[in-house]
């Protein structure tokens, strides 16, 4: 049983999402960060072998800076589908500097799934903007294109906005609500077990959820999520430190660690096929 009192669909296996790149980390500061298409595909293959079922994708341009170029996004979706079985989830969050228009256009690259953040949040010294009108338009576009959204929740107000979205516009593509608690962002909810339990209790009935802890909250959130019956997201988008004083060498080692913890919890990593069934994501290949 989940903390919400609802049975977990697909339990006891653990859905592991890898977020390998993000939009915030600089390649010059973290050489192991995958930024080219070749690096991303190699990482994706390694992470699937290590136990990942979903890949949350931000891409970079030739200058290694974040981009939402639609041609590059389309090529990325194609290459990941050709080389792996992973569910390809494109970020619609992009970087804090990306326009709403470009973030909406991400869906034109025809991914399996996408992230959909349920509200604005302070993001370090920046602001990650997700006003109601944008969220609603993005949600309607996921429904009309059949792209399965994952609801990104950085704070408690985002959970209230998710309830409103579902009440006003109905169920998502795929018919199942899956959320990701993004914890420990400076400006969002803290990454600890008490907060996680409270957040999970407030989710819509029947929803499944994963959690990720940013930076040094990665491990407390991972263990709390497993204990509370949730799924996991890990990757260099969220943490670039494996242990005190030891940088992450690869995304695969973060997935391996998550899969090992899940196995210890008697909830081994879920296959991509089982994840498609859980989330209602069709195989477009
Ligand atoms: N890069 C952050 C501003 C998402 O991918 O949907 C937003 C983010 C969320 O990473
Ligand atoms: Zn992201």
């Amino acid at each position: 049983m989940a903390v919400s009192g609802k049975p977990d669909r697909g339990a006891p296996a653990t859905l592991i999402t890898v977020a390998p790149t993000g939009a915030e980390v600089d390649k010059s500061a973290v050489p192991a960060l995958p930024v080219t298409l070749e690096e991303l595909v190699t990482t994706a293959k390694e992470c699937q072998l290590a136990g990942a079922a979903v890949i949350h994708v931000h891409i970079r341009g030739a200058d290694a800076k974040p981009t939402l170029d639609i041609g590059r996004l389309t090529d990325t979706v194609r290459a990941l589908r050709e080389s792996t079985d992973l569910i390809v989830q494109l970020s619609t969050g992009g970087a804090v500097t990306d326009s709403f228009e470009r973030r909406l256009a991400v869906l034109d690259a025809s991914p399996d799934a996408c992230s959909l953040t349920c509200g604005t949040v302070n993001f370090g010294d920046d602001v990650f903007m997700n006003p109601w009108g944008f969220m609603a338009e993005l949600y309607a576009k996921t429904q009309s294109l059949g792209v399965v959204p994952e609801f990104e929740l950085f704070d408690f107000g985002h959970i209230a906005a998710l309830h409103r979205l579902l009440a006003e516009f109905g169920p998502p593509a795929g018919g199942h609500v899956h959320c990701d608690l993004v914890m420990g962002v400076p400006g969002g909810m803290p990454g600890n077990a008490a907060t996680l339990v409270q957040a999970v209790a407030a989710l819509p009935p029947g929803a499944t959820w994963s959690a990720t802890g940013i930076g040094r909250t990665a491990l407390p959130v991972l263990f709390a999520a497993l204990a509370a019956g949730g799924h996991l997201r890990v990757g260099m988008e969220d943490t670039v430190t494996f242990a005190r004083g030891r940088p992450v060498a690869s995304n695969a080692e973060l997935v391996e660690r998550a899969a090992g913890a899940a196995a210890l919890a008697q909830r081994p990593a879920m296959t991509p096929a089982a994840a498609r069934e859980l989330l209602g994501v069709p195989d477009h290949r």
Side-chain angles (χ1 to χ4, degrees):
M1 297 292 279
V3 168
S4 64
K6 302 287 169 199
D8 274 346
R9 292 173 79 198
T14 302
L15 170 67
I16 300 178
T17 297
V18 63
T21 308
E24 282 73 40
V25 178
D26 261 347
K27 177 77 168 173
S28 55
V30 182
L33 192 77
V35 296
T36 66
L37 184 53
E38 199 185 344
E39 287 169 346
L40 183 63
V41 167
T42 301
T43 296
K45 287 184 193 165
E46 291 169 357
C47 290
Q48 183 181 328
L49 274 177
V54 178
I55 185 164
H56 168 82
V57 179
H58 292 252
I59 62 163
R60 302 293 176 100
D63 56 0
K65 302 285 181 218
T67 178
L68 293 181
D69 179 83
I70 193 68
R72 275 184 183 266
L73 284 169
T74 306
D75 290 347
T76 302
V77 170
R78 189 183 309 121
L80 289 170
R81 279 198 185 130
E82 275 170 15
S83 315
T84 75
D85 301 323
L86 297 170
I87 294 172
V88 181
Q89 179 195 90
L90 289 185
S91 166
T92 64
V96 290
T97 45
D98 286 317
S99 68
F100 297 137
E101 194 187 353
R102 289 186 82 87
R103 289 169 56 192
L104 284 164
V106 165
L107 298 192
D108 299 333
S110 302
D112 298 320
C114 70
S115 57
L116 192 162
T117 298
C118 291
T120 295
V121 64
N122 284 320
F123 199 81
D125 295 346
D126 299 308
V127 179
F128 178 30
M129 294 291 291
N130 296 282
W132 173 254
F134 169 68
M135 278 173 57
E137 194 177 347
L138 179 57
Y139 189 51
K141 191 166 177 179
T142 62
Q143 288 173 314
S144 68
L145 294 179
V147 177
V148 175
E150 175 182 274
F151 301 100
E152 308 297 323
L153 308 170
F154 289 66
D155 215 340
F156 279 83
H158 295 193
I159 303 176
L162 169 61
H163 281 274
R164 179 181 171 195
L165 203 62
L166 297 173
E168 291 195 18
F169 299 102
H176 175 65
V177 175
H178 182 73
C179 309
D180 181 42
L181 301 172
V182 185
M183 310 184 77
V185 168
M189 63 183 148
N192 58 47
T195 306
L196 181 140
V197 168
Q198 274 188 302
V200 170
L203 295 179
T208 52
W209 56 277
S210 59
T212 185
I214 304 302
R216 69 185 58 180
T217 72
L219 284 173
V221 169
L222 181 147
F223 288 119
L226 283 174
H231 301 283
L232 304 176
R233 174 175 126 170
V234 295
M236 294 175 77
E237 172 166 349
D238 301 338
T239 181
V240 291
T241 303
F242 191 81
R244 197 183 296 267
R246 208 284 246 163
V248 170
S250 71
N251 280 285
E253 73 171 0
L254 291 171
V255 175
E256 261 163 37
R257 179 167 72 177
L264 266 179
Q266 302 293 295
R267 296 187 44 220
M270 191 181 288
T271 63
R276 283 183 192 278
E277 207 177 318
L278 171 72
L279 303 175
V281 178
D283 194 340
H284 294 292
R285 297 169 302 166

